[in-house]
Amino acid sequence: MNGNAQQGFGYRARRTFTRLLVFTLILGLGGVVVFLLSQLNARTFTLALQDGQLVVMKGRNAPMGALPYRTGDPRLADAYAPIAIEGQDVSTLLTRKFTDRDELDQALFPVLESLARPRIASDEPARVDQGLYYLRRAEKLSGITEEQRLTLQKHMVDVAYYQARQKLEDARRLVSEALTQLKLAAESQSRNARSANQMLTAVSPPARDLEEALRRAVHSLSGPQAAPQQPAPAAPQQPAPAAPQPAPAAPRPPPETTGEALDEPAQGATGADAGGVIQQPPSGAF
């Protein structure tokens, strides 16, 4: 009796221990699965449509669920801010899951590029500003492909003129503000008045010229240029009438000569023809 009781107790103890061990293993495996699913979900990005905006969602540290993505780097906060899609079809993006940020960047780039493209092609400064805003957001996406990077570079070249014009305007404003502040300091009774007056004397003339040149470049030279007028075709020039040529002079006839004149010797000049003195005959010749 006692042996059977001890055998039954030992069997029940082993069975209980086995069940406890199996339960512990199952519980441990379940915990590992939950942990792995939580880690995977925490690294997963999705996109959701909320109030007409495309919002980046990041999985929670749990097997399920997501929250709006808030990056710890303030430089990237604008890159992943909600995007107003303005009627674009983003239904295919809403069903995708991105396991890393590079995949998310490559999916966000076409959205930002399609919003920027028509704006940077506009002649309206306000729309160009909006397009440049989307391009700058796309620049912060570090995981885009090389092809996408080339597309972005092409768009940035298209707005290079506008960026240069904006920087010239900023420079003009800074020069103007600096001159105003120097003048204010020079006219005061502060300890820096003398230095401000010397600086103002040294830089005021060239700074005024620079400010005027920047103002002319931004507001005059950068305006739409009138179409150059084509010069009217010149009328064909008529050749000038030739001056009348004088008639050739008639040849003078040779002097008429006779045989006698040819045979007689030439006589010397007499009288008035001989030097204008008339020779008198000698006295007694008569």
Side-chain angles (χ1 to χ4, degrees), residues 1-225:
M1 294 288 296
N2 292 334
N4 293 334
Q6 291 179 356
Q7 185 179 3
F9 176 77
Y11 173 76
R12 288 194 300 272
R14 287 194 304 270
R15 187 176 61 180
T16 302
F17 177 76
T18 303
R19 289 178 179 177
L20 181 60
L21 181 60
V22 172
F23 176 76
T24 303
L25 290 175
I26 293 175
L27 185 61
L29 290 175
V32 171
V33 171
V34 170
F35 174 77
L36 293 177
L37 289 177
S38 299
Q39 291 294 313
L40 180 61
N41 187 60
R43 292 194 299 265
T44 301
F45 295 91
T46 56
L47 296 172
L49 192 60
Q50 298 178 1
D51 299 329
Q53 293 182 324
L54 192 64
V55 181
V56 178
M57 308 291 290
K58 192 174 187 298
R60 297 186 299 174
N61 194 12
M64 298 179 62
L67 295 173
Y69 180 44
R70 298 289 184 268
T71 177
D73 190 348
R75 294 173 299 178
L76 299 179
D78 194 39
Y80 299 105
I83 306 172
I85 60 174
E86 300 181 3
Q88 295 190 57
D89 184 14
V90 293
S91 57
T92 57
L93 297 176
L94 303 179
T95 59
R96 294 178 57 186
K97 289 186 177 182
F98 311 98
T99 57
D100 56 26
R101 211 171 68 184
D102 287 353
E103 292 183 2
L104 175 65
D105 291 350
Q106 295 168 17
L108 288 177
F109 181 83
V111 179
L112 294 173
E113 192 267 341
S114 61
L115 290 171
R117 191 188 322 113
R119 288 172 169 80
I120 62 176
S122 173
D123 293 332
E124 301 177 11
R127 285 182 59 82
V128 176
D129 277 334
Q130 294 175 356
L132 188 57
Y133 163 74
Y134 288 117
L135 289 181
R136 286 172 176 167
R137 287 187 60 171
E139 273 187 314
K140 298 178 181 180
L141 301 176
S142 59
I144 59 177
T145 64
E146 187 62 27
E147 182 180 358
Q148 290 174 336
R149 201 175 303 279
L150 292 176
T151 301
L152 176 62
Q153 183 179 2
K154 177 181 178 299
H155 289 323
M156 295 303 293
V157 169
D158 292 339
V159 297
Y161 163 77
Y162 179 78
Q163 288 180 302
R165 184 176 181 271
Q166 186 63 41
K167 290 178 180 179
L168 289 177
E169 175 62 20
D170 294 341
R172 185 203 63 79
R173 188 183 69 254
L174 291 175
V175 170
S176 178
E177 291 176 358
L179 290 177
T180 302
Q181 292 171 355
L182 278 178
K183 183 178 180 181
L184 181 63
E187 295 175 351
S188 66
Q189 300 299 325
S190 65
R191 58 188 177 89
N192 296 320
R194 183 172 177 273
S195 298
N197 193 13
Q198 291 177 345
M199 292 175 62
L200 191 63
T201 303
V203 304
S204 181
R208 293 296 182 189
D209 294 341
L210 175 60
E211 182 184 2
E212 181 60 29
L214 292 174
R215 179 183 291 107
R216 185 169 63 253
V218 173
H219 299 287
S220 299
L221 301 180
S222 62
Q225 300 293 330

Side-chain angles (χ1 to χ4, degrees), residues 228-242:
Q229 295 181 356
Q230 297 293 336
Q237 297 182 355
Q238 298 293 335

